[in-house]
Amino acid sequence: MNHPFTFECQTCCPHTKARTGVFHTPHGIVETPRFMPVGTLANVKTVTPAQLAETGAQMVLANTYHLHLQPGEAIVQKAGGLHQFMNWKGPILTDSGGFQVFSLSELREINDEGVTFRSPRDGHFIHLTPEKSVEIQNALGADVIMAFDECAPYPASYDAVKTALHRTTHWLERCVKAHQRPDQALFGIVQGGVYLDLRQLSARSTIEFDLPGYAIGGVSVGEPPELIQKIVEATTPLLPFDKPRYLMGVGTYREMVQAIAAGMDLFDCVIPTRLARHANALVGGERLNLRNQKFREDFTPLDATCPCYTCRSFTRAYLSHLLRSRELLGYTLLSIHNITELVRFTQRIRASIQAGSFGEDFGRWLTLSS
């Protein structure tokens, strides 16, 4: 067990499996449940670190695969690690690169040793193994690093998913042996696709390694929401109660509420900045397209209840003008708000769990039909 990393469960909902907790890392705490913004290339798109801190974000993500391609982990290490390189003072999580590699199906070849793929940047061959993924992440220096796994696509046959699951377990063993830094927490990833018995098998195999935290991977890769909910509800209770639980790649309102009700703690998604680049604002659980005609003369704040810089300072009309003009400031202001919105959403959930009113306050999100 890595001493810099502890997780304390503080409050449990009496009606669901929702809980609040504090995850301690070398670069600060993460109060759970919590949404984590994605900073693929060591930056959250269009947002400065100071602006990001003001959103209430505590832990941010960076991507092993993309940083290996550019600028290369050696340069990040020379800079003093990711925290110094990107000037982010809080906790950082790096994913293993597995998801990105497996999404390059036409460029890759996989076997038990690892994955060989053509770089989409210059076409040269790269061989990525569990050992190499951990080596890259050790050099990047994030607080939490993820095991290299095989993320089976959706749909995939039972046999194909089972093969990927066994490979993921074998690779986890190799990741554990390769991991060199006690100031970095290695999280294992539960796979198994939509097959609940395989999820159970993967969870049992993964928790045997007694890691500082665990993730559910291979969801939100194309399957319908009701299947994601079934997977999460069936898998979460199998994960240790006294460790943080991370649902990878999920960040919509409904999916986060349902996963929190099942006992999940951490979430990440590119949604807030991606929507911003398409002129969409997250307000009160809805998406507003600010290029719509009705916002051209709307001189009210984007969200009068939101404390972010954007909502304190500008009107919907101004934001609509910027986005219609494709001014870069529009994407920045909308990203600031959208990130703040999802962080605040999980903060409100945390407060409602502590107050004992989670089911009442967020009940409308707990059913797929509402």
Side-chain angles (χ1 to χ4, degrees):
M1 179 66 179
N2 294 327
H3 294 298
F5 300 92
T6 59
F7 178 77
E8 305 167 31
C9 183
Q10 297 174 314
T11 315
C12 293
C13 173
H15 307 296
T16 69
K17 295 182 175 67
R19 72 223 194 122
T20 69
V22 178
F23 179 39
H24 296 264
T25 81
H27 286 89
I29 65 169
V30 183
E31 297 170 323
T32 63
R34 199 79 170 196
F35 175 80
M36 305 180 292
V38 175
T40 301
L41 281 161
N43 75 294
V44 176
K45 291 187 186 301
T46 75
V47 177
T48 69
Q51 291 168 331
L52 186 60
E54 286 188 1
T55 68
Q58 290 180 328
M59 178 178 275
V60 301
L61 273 70
N63 183 271
T64 298
Y65 164 80
H66 288 290
L67 290 172
H68 176 60
L69 296 182
Q70 168 64 38
E73 62 275 11
I75 290 176
V76 176
Q77 189 172 35
K78 285 180 183 176
L82 273 175
H83 294 88
Q84 288 288 109
F85 191 55
M86 65 186 287
N87 192 30
W88 176 254
K89 310 302 183 188
I92 299 175
L93 182 152
T94 46
D95 61 14
S96 69
F99 177 79
Q100 285 71 30
V101 170
F102 294 111
S103 67
L104 300 170
S105 56
E106 72 283 0
L107 299 174
R108 65 168 169 82
E109 180 180 330
I110 180 173
N111 56 39
D112 289 342
E113 179 60 25
V115 184
T116 302
F117 62 98
R118 282 188 181 272
S119 167
R121 285 182 173 268
D122 57 19
H124 78 278
F125 282 102
I126 297 174
H127 188 52
L128 194 58
T129 64
E131 292 81 6
K132 185 63 177 178
S133 174
V134 169
E135 178 188 325
I136 296 168
Q137 293 186 83
N138 284 166
L140 293 173
D143 299 86
V144 174
I145 68 174
M146 302 304 299
F148 192 60
D149 62 326
E150 181 175 355
C151 181
Y154 176 83
S157 71
Y158 185 91
D159 288 343
V161 174
K162 189 173 183 179
T163 298
L165 183 161
H166 287 306
R167 187 174 279 145
T168 293
T169 304
H170 176 57
W171 284 357
L172 174 57
E173 184 177 4
R174 290 165 58 187
C175 287
V176 170
K177 290 178 180 177
H179 184 36
Q180 297 295 318
R181 294 184 54 170
D183 62 337
Q184 291 181 298
L186 174 66
F187 279 25
I189 303 173
V190 175
Q191 289 289 351
V194 298
Y195 305 104
L196 299 187
D197 62 324
L198 294 183
R199 287 284 176 179
Q200 187 174 44
L201 176 63
S202 180
R204 284 202 307 265
S205 302
T206 304
I207 65 175
E208 284 181 4
F209 290 90
D210 191 25
L211 301 168
Y214 299 91
I216 297 177
V219 297
S220 201
V221 291
E223 67 274 67
E226 58 268 20
L227 273 181
I228 296 176
Q229 185 179 1
K230 281 183 180 178
I231 293 165
V232 173
E233 288 179 347
T235 308
T236 306
L238 306 175
L239 303 179
F241 182 81
D242 60 345
K243 305 286 180 69
R245 302 160 171 169
Y246 164 32
L247 182 59
M248 304 179 76
V250 167
T252 65
Y253 294 98
R254 188 178 307 281
E255 286 174 346
M256 285 196 294
V257 171
Q258 291 172 344
I260 289 167
M264 295 303 293
D265 305 304
L266 298 169
F267 308 88
D268 80 283
C269 194
V270 297
I271 279 179
T273 51
R274 179 173 289 172
L275 287 179
R277 296 194 300 278
H278 290 87
N280 283 285
L282 293 168
V283 178
E286 306 295 335
R287 296 182 185 181
L288 306 181
N289 185 343
L290 291 173
R291 290 198 182 110
N292 285 349
Q293 184 74 17
K294 64 180 180 180
F295 296 116
R296 295 190 70 169
E297 296 186 33
D298 186 342
F299 302 108
T300 63
L302 191 53
D303 182 350
T305 70
C306 178
C308 80
Y309 171 71
T310 302
C311 292
R312 295 197 319 266
S313 308
F314 303 103
T315 65
R316 294 179 174 190
Y318 181 64
L319 294 170
S320 179
H321 155 65
L322 292 177
L323 294 161
R324 284 168 170 272
S325 306
R326 303 193 183 278
E327 284 290 332
L328 298 183
L329 178 60
Y331 307 131
T332 295
L333 294 176
L334 213 48
S335 293
I336 289 170
H337 168 75
N338 285 348
I339 295 168
T340 303
E341 166 69 10
L342 290 185
V343 171
R344 287 180 70 227
F345 185 69
T346 52
Q347 285 177 308
R348 291 196 300 273
I349 292 174
R350 176 180 167 83
S352 74
I353 297 169
Q354 291 173 328
S357 57
F358 170 66
E360 180 183 345
D361 296 340
F362 293 89
R364 73 184 182 104
W365 301 104
L366 291 173
T367 57
L368 287 166
S369 58
S370 63

